[in-house]
Structure formats: C-alpha cells, structure tokens
Amino acid sequence: MDRAALAEFLSRRRASLLPADVGLGPGARRRIPGLRREEVAQLAMMSTDYYTRLEQRRGPQPSTQMLSSLARALRLSADERDYLYRVAGHPAPERMPQEDYVAPQLMRVLDRLQDTPALILSALEEALIQNGPATALFGSTGHRTGWERSAIYRWFADPSHGRAMYPASDHERQSRAQVASLRAAYGAWGPRSRAAELAALLRERSDEFARLWEEQIVAQRFADHKVLLHPQLGEIEVDCQALFTEDRSQVLLVLTAPPHSEAAGKLDLLAVLGTQEVSPGSDDGPPNWSTVSP
C-alpha cells in the first residue's frame, strides 16, 4: 500500500469536484475549491474520521468494498479506479462488467434527475443506484445480494415476487425480453462471463427460461412504453428512455409520462411523498426494463 500516493490522489480528486458534480447543494461559502472531506465520506458511506485518516496517510488499508465506494463517490473513470486499487495495495478489478462499479458519466446525469424515477442498471438487470422517486416506485434494492440483485434471475427463479409489478397479460412478452437481453450480454462477454453463469443457473431452475433460451432470441432495446402496478397508486403508464455507456454494460433509465396525464400526476406524487410514504410492499426492486420482444 502506497499511503502517500493514495492520500495525494484522494485529495486531488476531491479538490477537482464541485458539489453540483455529485448532486449536492452548494452549502455554506467555501474557502477552498472542491468537496469537503465530510461530503466525500457521506457519499462513500464511511465515517469522516476514517476518510480523513486516509488523506493524512495514517489510515488502515481500505478494503476493496471501501475502494469501490470511494470510486463511486469521487466519480472515477475506469482507469482512475484501477489506479486507486493499486496504490491501496489491491489488484485492479478485471475490466469485465463489475457488480458494484457505476459509470461516472451516467452518475453525473443521474445526479441531476430529482423529480422523475431514474436508475442505473447493469446489463444483467442489477440495480446499481437509483434516485428517490425510483426507490419510491420500485422499492429499495440495497438489501439484495448475489443473484438476487438481478431482475432477470428473480423473474424466472421467483416469479411470484419478480413479476409483481407487471400485469399478467404482459408476462409472456417480458419473459422473452429478459431472455433476449441475457442472450445479448452472453454474446458480448462470452462463455466464461457472469452472463453465461446466470444463463446456466436459470436453465436448471426454470423450464420456461430453458425453452426460451433455446429459441436464440437476441435483443437489447430499452425505449418502451409500459404499465406498472404499484400497490398504493395502482396502474402507472410510463415511457422509458435509456442512456448507455459506450460498451453498453450499464444503462441509465429514465421513466416519464406525458405532461398533465394521470400517470404524470402519480409520478409527481412519488417525488413528493418519497420512499417512506409510498413504497411497494413487496420491496422487490426494479422489474426488467432492458428489452422488448421483437
């Protein structure tokens, strides 16, 4: 672990960011540019004392989980993230899509979306981060671990919960969409990837998945019109638009409704009431938004 290099890198990156860059308000007048240490600690979900010790070259070696949180908080690029890991004494993560890395270019857009549901997903439908309205609409996903994080997995392995937010009339279309999305990820990453591992697991656990997988459906399309079933607000018709990373391993999804429509009023209500007042009782996280059947 190179304490000096780690401390200098963290300090320089912190100084290069403005509160608006990470979705924070300007706060009190600042004597020096950049984020405060306590703001970085808050974004990385660690104590201010712990972060301060890292910048002062006297902290313990951070874990890979802590480094992942710091990379997200400081909006690091993939190259910057790799450097952070190495100076902290850890090997850089593989450049295959990671479960916990969030593309900073998508984070910058998400930070500015406060009044409509928006979230960032991996290509395996893992919710990496979502804003307040999205949490109010879909429920919190932070408690999920392993394959339970993937909406594709939940759709086939636990259909009673994984499909709760979709009308029954739309289940067949969504099943095909889920398989098409996973097949596209498999094609992009190969037979030794997490996509291949998930496909093998679901072929064992779901006859429906196994049947559809053999059909060789491949598609990756996000723009769509959908009806969601919310426990408190009922049906909500939404349009979904997507912004991909260059390698298409992550996507920012934004849900909107036509102005002055009933659905727009329901989305506004979600933004106002927040997650404590209005949240799905099943707490299943986001359904699949990735593809639609051809």
Side-chain angles (χ1 to χ4, degrees), residues 41 43 58 61 82 84 109 132 143 156 173 176 181 187 211 216 227 236 245 277:
L43 292 168
R58 58 188 182 88
Q61 183 184 33
D82 291 353
L84 175 68
V109 180
H143 64 290
F156 291 103
R173 182 178 75 114
R176 293 176 63 84
S181 176
R211 173 178 57 81
Q216 298 287 328
V227 176
I236 308 177
T245 54
E277 295 281 344

Side-chain angles (χ1 to χ4, degrees), residues 86-109:
R86 292 186 179 111
V87 297
H90 294 282
E94 293 184 13
R95 285 299 182 99
M96 293 291 288
Q98 298 294 306
E99 295 181 55
D100 52 5
Y101 174 71
V102 181
Q105 60 268 41
L106 297 186
M107 284 287 293
R108 288 193 292 270
V109 180

Side-chain angles (χ1 to χ4, degrees), residues 123-125 152 155-156 172-188 195 199 202 208-209 212-222 288 290-294:
L124 300 185
E125 296 297 329
I152 299 176
W155 184 269
F156 291 103
E172 181 178 354
R173 182 178 75 114
Q174 290 301 322
S175 291
R176 293 176 63 84
Q178 296 280 17
V179 174
S181 176
L182 183 56
R183 176 70 77 173
Y186 176 91
L202 289 177
E208 180 189 16
F209 178 88
L212 292 173
W213 186 255
E214 293 304 318
E215 293 185 13
Q216 298 287 328
I217 311 166
V218 184
Q220 193 177 46
R221 174 184 158 195
F222 282 79
N288 176 44
S290 61
T291 60
V292 295
S293 55

Side-chain angles (χ1 to χ4, degrees), residues 13-74:
R13 285 298 302 154
R14 177 171 62 84
S16 70
L17 293 171
L18 297 174
D21 296 333
V22 295
L24 298 176
R29 183 176 180 181
R30 296 168 187 267
R31 291 178 295 177
I32 57 175
L35 297 179
R36 299 186 177 96
R37 286 172 175 168
E38 57 266 27
E39 291 171 332
V40 175
Q42 174 189 347
L43 292 168
M45 295 181 290
M46 64 178 63
S47 71
T48 301
D49 178 68
Y50 182 91
Y51 179 77
T52 300
R53 283 186 288 150
L54 290 178
E55 282 203 6
Q56 293 178 344
R57 309 183 186 185
R58 58 188 182 88
Q61 183 184 33
S63 66
T64 55
Q65 292 82 0
M66 193 67 72
L67 293 173
S68 176
S69 294
L70 283 170
R72 180 182 301 182
L74 294 171

Side-chain angles (χ1 to χ4, degrees), residues 180-240:
S181 176
L182 183 56
R183 176 70 77 173
Y186 176 91
W189 302 336
R192 296 185 178 180
S193 64
R194 293 181 66 239
E197 184 181 348
L198 177 56
L201 178 63
L202 289 177
R203 289 178 72 183
E204 293 179 357
R205 298 193 178 186
S206 169
D207 291 339
E208 180 189 16
F209 178 88
R211 173 178 57 81
L212 292 173
W213 186 255
E214 293 304 318
E215 293 185 13
Q216 298 287 328
I217 311 166
V218 184
Q220 193 177 46
R221 174 184 158 195
F222 282 79
D224 196 13
H225 179 82
K226 296 181 181 289
V227 176
L228 295 179
L229 303 178
H230 191 277
Q232 282 75 43
L233 300 181
E235 290 189 356
I236 308 177
E237 293 189 41
V238 295
D239 294 308
C240 181

